[in-house]
Amino acid sequence: MTVFVLDHRLADESVLAVSLTLCDVLLRDDARTLWVVLVPRLAGLEELHDLSADDQARLMLEVGQVSKAVAEIAQPTKVNTGALGNIVRQLHVHIMARYEGDFAWPGPVWGVGERVPMDDTLKAERLAALRDVLQVR
């Protein structure tokens, strides 16, 4: 049996916000926008179709739950959701707040500018907001 291990690139650029039934919700360390990454805690996953039908349904429920939380916390123009995996193959889903005129608007955020690490205050505020809205302590 293979043990779940978070890809080091996801771990290096994020911090665990909450654990849901299937996924860990990671806060991406980027001050430019509220950006979270959901990672199913199952080993060996690369594609959505690698999940069982029940886990696919659970993932979609959790994506919806976190997307709604991001919208409530950040009040963005749009909430973007994406699962690419071209570089980090481990299955993960990005959810981010987008605003008209932001650093990449209206295009995708990937490959635009450099990540801006959050200071401790902003990180603590975002973590607290996610935990509060997702009702996880």
Side-chain angles (χ1 to χ4, degrees), residues 8-63:
H8 70 90
R9 292 161 291 198
L10 294 172
D12 290 347
E13 294 185 357
S14 63
V15 61
L16 178 65
V18 298
S19 291
L20 301 176
T21 302
L22 176 65
C23 295
D24 281 344
V25 179
L26 309 176
L27 173 63
R28 189 164 191 273
D29 187 12
D30 194 335
R32 298 176 297 171
T33 194
L34 178 56
W35 186 336
V36 297
V37 180
L38 279 72
V39 183
R41 288 182 310 279
L42 298 171
L45 301 177
E46 290 188 4
E47 307 293 345
L48 289 170
H49 61 258
D50 292 338
L51 291 164
S52 69
D54 287 344
D55 285 338
Q56 287 177 23
R58 169 55 58 192
L59 176 60
M60 290 302 105
L61 288 171
E62 292 182 5
V63 165

Side-chain angles (χ1 to χ4, degrees), residues 73-103:
I73 293 164
Q75 300 293 301
T77 304
K78 180 75 174 76
V79 176
N80 284 182
T81 303
L84 301 177
N86 295 341
I87 296 172
V88 176
R89 296 291 173 111
Q90 183 173 47
L91 179 60
H92 62 287
V93 178
H94 296 266
I95 300 173
M96 68 210 70
R98 296 296 308 276
Y99 303 89
E100 283 189 48
D102 71 19
F103 66 98

